[in-house]
Amino acid sequence: RSSDGGLLKRYRNGESGLAGLIEDYSFFIWGLIEMYELTFDPNYLETAIELSEYQIDNFWDNDFHGFYFTPANGEELIVRTKESYDGAIPSGNSVAAYNFIRLGRILSNTKYEKISTQITDVFSRNLNKYGSGYTMMLQAVEFMTGPSYEILIIGDNDKSQELINQINQINQPNKVLIYTDIKHKDDLSSIIPFIGMYPNPEGENPMVYVCKNYSCNLPTNDIDEIKRQLIK
């Protein structure tokens, strides 16, 4: 990364260069979100937030919305284009729309959710006419329009992992997972403040809150009940 926090595309023999483009940010942030939901290491989430803010500051079109292909602090061009077509590789804007709706739900951040909506709005004409060419962006639309879910798991690491594995096997792609070990709850609350509103489980078993648009069901650790709440 550069001194201002941006991504660089090349590193060799101690030297780095070439400023990242929108796709570099979108794909890397996508990977960071996936790594967080795999390991629940808050460092991945923190880096995803840092790069998302950099992406907004340097690529976002404040007037007409959507992300430019090149950064504002990069090489001066006659025209700054925006890419949205999802070919063999999805576009930076499509992945960004998916990233920001997921980050928004994980963090309860309405600013991020709004950005995701604005991306899909600005390319809505293309989505309506040529949906097959915008399959990644349509995933973001599907997540936005729902139903989609926020799943919060609170418990001990050893007791929680099996339950997390079972939840991941449920066929519900429109969900985000948030996990906190009861011993390190304060560490995550600095990134996700609302985590402190949820009490620790009284017994040894973890508790799971299945929420839909931030409206949560009663906590449970019954995988059949969790499945029922996620696929109804």
Side-chain angles (χ1 to χ4, degrees):
R1 295 173 66 175
S2 60
S3 58
D4 67 350
L7 292 177
L8 297 172
K9 295 170 67 74
R10 174 183 58 79
Y11 175 84
R12 184 172 184 270
N13 295 334
E15 292 187 6
S16 304
L18 300 180
L21 305 176
I22 184 62
E23 292 175 350
D24 299 300
Y25 287 85
S26 294
F27 277 91
F28 190 48
I29 292 167
W30 187 7
L32 290 167
I33 296 170
E34 295 294 335
M35 287 300 296
Y36 169 72
E37 291 197 335
L38 175 67
T39 67
F40 298 104
D41 182 341
N43 289 320
Y44 289 115
L45 202 54
E46 287 182 325
T47 305
I49 295 168
E50 289 174 10
L51 291 176
S52 294
E53 289 296 328
Y54 189 96
Q55 185 178 348
I56 294 168
D57 291 342
N58 292 281
F59 290 86
W60 184 248
D61 182 349
N62 291 306
D63 296 320
F64 300 105
H65 305 150
F67 287 105
Y68 288 111
F69 189 70
T70 55
N73 58 356
E75 181 182 356
E76 187 173 347
L77 303 172
I78 297 174
V79 177
R80 292 178 71 199
T81 60
K82 298 175 190 171
E83 298 290 339
S84 61
Y85 177 75
D86 297 327
I89 298 176
S91 71
N93 270 294
S94 294
V95 176
Y98 188 57
N99 289 344
F100 277 100
I101 187 62
R102 293 175 72 199
L103 268 181
R105 295 293 173 82
I106 291 172
L107 303 170
S108 189
N109 186 321
T110 56
K111 168 189 167 183
Y112 285 175
E113 290 192 45
K114 184 178 180 181
I115 285 174
S116 185
T117 302
Q118 288 173 329
I119 294 172
T120 56
D121 283 350
V122 77
F123 298 112
S124 60
R125 179 175 296 181
N126 293 339
L127 285 172
N128 287 326
K129 286 187 175 182
Y130 315 107
S132 61
Y134 300 89
T135 51
M136 186 67 198
M137 193 171 291
L138 285 172
Q139 286 191 52
V141 173
E142 168 106 4
F143 204 112
M144 289 177 214
T145 56
S148 57
Y149 303 89
E150 306 88 47
I151 305 172
L152 174 61
I153 306 142
I154 303 174
D156 178 81
N157 272 334
D158 295 333
K159 300 281 186 180
S160 301
Q161 190 57 56
E162 182 179 353
L163 188 57
I164 291 170
N165 291 340
Q166 291 176 318
I167 291 172
N168 279 326
Q169 292 175 27
I170 298 172
N171 185 23
Q172 177 50 264
N174 293 338
K175 65 182 185 295
V176 293
L177 265 64
I178 306 161
Y179 168 71
T180 180
D181 185 290
I182 54 177
K183 299 173 185 175
H184 303 100
K185 196 174 179 182
D186 290 342
D187 296 340
L188 189 60
S189 63
S190 63
I191 307 171
I192 309 176
F194 69 81
I195 205 83
M197 298 168 57
Y198 294 86
N200 292 334
E202 295 181 358
E204 295 183 354
N205 293 321
M207 298 305 293
V208 177
Y209 296 84
V210 176
C211 311
K212 182 179 177 181
N213 296 328
Y214 308 118
S215 177
C216 299
N217 293 299
L218 292 173
T220 181
N221 52 35
D222 183 338
I223 189 61
D224 291 329
E225 174 61 18
I226 294 168
K227 185 181 295 185
R228 186 191 68 80
Q229 294 177 13
L230 285 174
I231 63 177
K232 62 182 179 180

